[in-house]
Amino acid sequence: MIGIDIGGANLKVVDEHGAHIHYCPLWKETSIKEILQEYSSADNAAVVMSGELADCFASKQEGINFLYDAVRNVFPNAKFYGIDGKFHTKPVSQIAAANWLVMADVLRFKYPDCLLVDMGSTTTDIVPLNAWETLKGQTDFIRLKTGMLLYYGLLRTPVSSLIRRINPDGNDILLSTEYFACSGDAHLLMEMITSDMYSTATPDSCSTSWNHCLRRMARMVCADVHEVGEDLVLQIAREYVNEENKLITNAVSSIMKKYGCVRIIAVGIGSKFLASYLNAHDLASEMGTLSDAIPAWAVREAGLRIV
């Protein structure tokens, strides 16, 4: 059996050989069936999804139906994990956005007193592993209200969604609201990630090099780098990271206090970043690259339990 996690931007597969991450933006002409065919020798698939929210679909149910059909075309007996904590064999509404819950389902036994923080390319999930019965049934809308879902990730978040101005010399400079630069640019310029870790499409479809990241970030103040200087451009990146740090720290602190969690474990492609300022245990230290594809690993583990 393989585990499959279908997000809006990435398709992740875990099999007996490890984790495999494919950039697969659903809002473009997607190759999801072709990617899945690479794993068709597997006996079956356990699946979790969040890609049904992609805006190429008129509704979440349309997205569910599309992803269900794509998987079933390759794995006719695939089973889909839902926010009720159960597997389903029909495209029911419960299988929308259950990737975070299956992580809790599998990890809660080993880490019963922990808060799980998962930073992916697009979002950050904050999940108290000691609250299983409370977690079941929560949609993304509910988690946005409770602070358990933050739409800020390591790579794809627009810079203007988090900071609106900088103040380099005592005078405010407003930022553009265009999608000129993203969190991947900020994290690379702050040397928190390397170019090869910047694995999604860039806002201008150019490279992930230092100079291209600088160029995109300068656009946030409607300028070229030589007009305003590299220091000011780096300040935009620094301000973004500082605000991101405060936002996630405050949300984590609030959820920890509410549920009485005593430790934090970090997973996802941003786990090293999280561990550095949350005093968290980075599961990558024991799971390796599987930590970058935890939902796919977890849904496979959950599926193997019921085989």
Side-chain angles (χ1 to χ4, degrees), residues 49 52 60-69 72 79-98:
M49 68 174 69
E52 75 289 334
K60 289 194 288 184
Q61 189 59 52
E62 181 181 304
I64 290 169
N65 294 342
F66 175 86
L67 298 178
Y68 174 90
D69 290 341
R72 278 290 179 117
K79 47 194 176 183
F80 297 76
Y81 191 88
I83 58 171
D84 54 0
K86 301 176 182 178
F87 278 101
H88 300 268
T89 55
K90 301 292 183 183
V92 294
S93 62
Q94 288 94 331
I95 66 176

Side-chain angles (χ1 to χ4, degrees), residues 189-191 210-211 214-215 217-218 224-238:
L189 292 174
M190 290 295 98
E191 301 182 344
W210 173 271
N211 285 335
L214 274 178
R215 185 179 73 186
M217 197 62 72
D224 291 327
V225 178
H226 74 268
E227 285 184 78
V228 294
E230 187 171 305
D231 287 347
L232 186 141
V233 177
L234 292 177
Q235 182 174 342
I236 302 172
R238 188 176 302 109

Side-chain angles (χ1 to χ4, degrees), residues 12-275:
K12 301 178 182 180
V13 177
V14 167
D15 57 19
E16 67 272 19
H17 303 295
H20 314 274
I21 301 176
H22 304 268
Y23 181 56
C24 183
L26 294 178
W27 59 90
K28 296 184 178 180
E29 187 174 343
T30 176
S31 57
I32 182 171
K33 292 180 183 178
E34 289 79 1
I35 294 173
L36 291 176
Q37 283 289 349
E38 298 177 26
Y39 304 93
S40 59
S41 61
D43 293 334
N44 203 357
V47 187
V48 70
M49 68 174 69
S50 59
E52 75 289 334
L53 196 63
D55 57 11
C56 55
F57 305 122
S59 66
K60 289 194 288 184
Q61 189 59 52
E62 181 181 304
I64 290 169
N65 294 342
F66 175 86
L67 298 178
Y68 174 90
D69 290 341
V71 173
R72 278 290 179 117
N73 182 265
V74 182
F75 300 100
N77 298 311
K79 47 194 176 183
F80 297 76
Y81 191 88
I83 58 171
D84 54 0
K86 301 176 182 178
F87 278 101
H88 300 268
T89 55
K90 301 292 183 183
V92 294
S93 62
Q94 288 94 331
I95 66 176
N99 54 337
W100 62 278
L101 187 67
V102 76
M103 292 188 292
D105 194 352
V106 174
L107 293 172
R108 62 194 171 104
F109 300 104
K110 185 175 181 180
Y111 303 99
D113 61 349
C114 287
L115 185 72
L116 173 69
V117 187
D118 174 19
M119 176 180 271
S121 63
T122 310
T123 62
T124 299
D125 294 297
I126 303 171
V127 189
L129 298 181
N130 60 353
W132 174 244
E133 293 302 324
T134 299
L135 297 177
K136 286 190 293 184
Q138 291 198 26
T139 63
D140 277 357
F141 176 66
I142 293 172
R143 294 194 306 128
L144 283 169
K145 289 198 293 183
T146 60
M148 292 188 191
L149 172 60
L150 304 177
Y151 242 85
Y152 300 93
L154 190 72
L155 302 177
R156 297 185 60 244
T157 307
V159 167
S160 61
S161 70
L162 197 53
I163 58 171
R164 294 296 309 115
R165 66 190 70 223
I166 57 171
N167 191 299
D169 54 8
N171 297 304
D172 281 348
I173 302 175
L174 296 177
L175 269 60
S176 166
T177 58
E178 288 284 354
Y179 184 47
F180 285 135
C182 61
S183 53
D185 297 313
H187 290 134
L188 188 140
L189 292 174
M190 290 295 98
E191 301 182 344
M192 299 166 68
I193 63 172
T194 57
S195 184
D196 63 305
M197 294 171 65
Y198 193 158
S199 56
T200 61
T202 62
D204 61 359
S205 299
C206 291
S207 82
T208 60
S209 69
W210 173 271
N211 285 335
H212 281 173
C213 289
L214 274 178
R215 185 179 73 186
R216 285 189 290 270
M217 197 62 72
R219 289 287 194 274
M220 294 305 303
V221 287
C222 305
D224 291 327
V225 178
H226 74 268
E227 285 184 78
V228 294
E230 187 171 305
D231 287 347
L232 186 141
V233 177
L234 292 177
Q235 182 174 342
I236 302 172
R238 188 176 302 109
E239 290 287 341
Y240 177 88
V241 169
N242 288 342
E243 286 301 313
E244 176 186 55
N245 183 315
K246 286 190 287 187
L247 179 81
I248 295 175
T249 299
N250 289 339
V252 165
S253 177
S254 176
I255 299 298
M256 280 195 80
K257 183 177 180 180
K258 180 176 180 179
Y259 290 94
C261 300
V262 297
R263 294 186 296 157
I264 302 171
I265 53 176
V267 298
I269 61 172
S271 63
K272 183 178 180 180
F273 170 45
L274 294 171

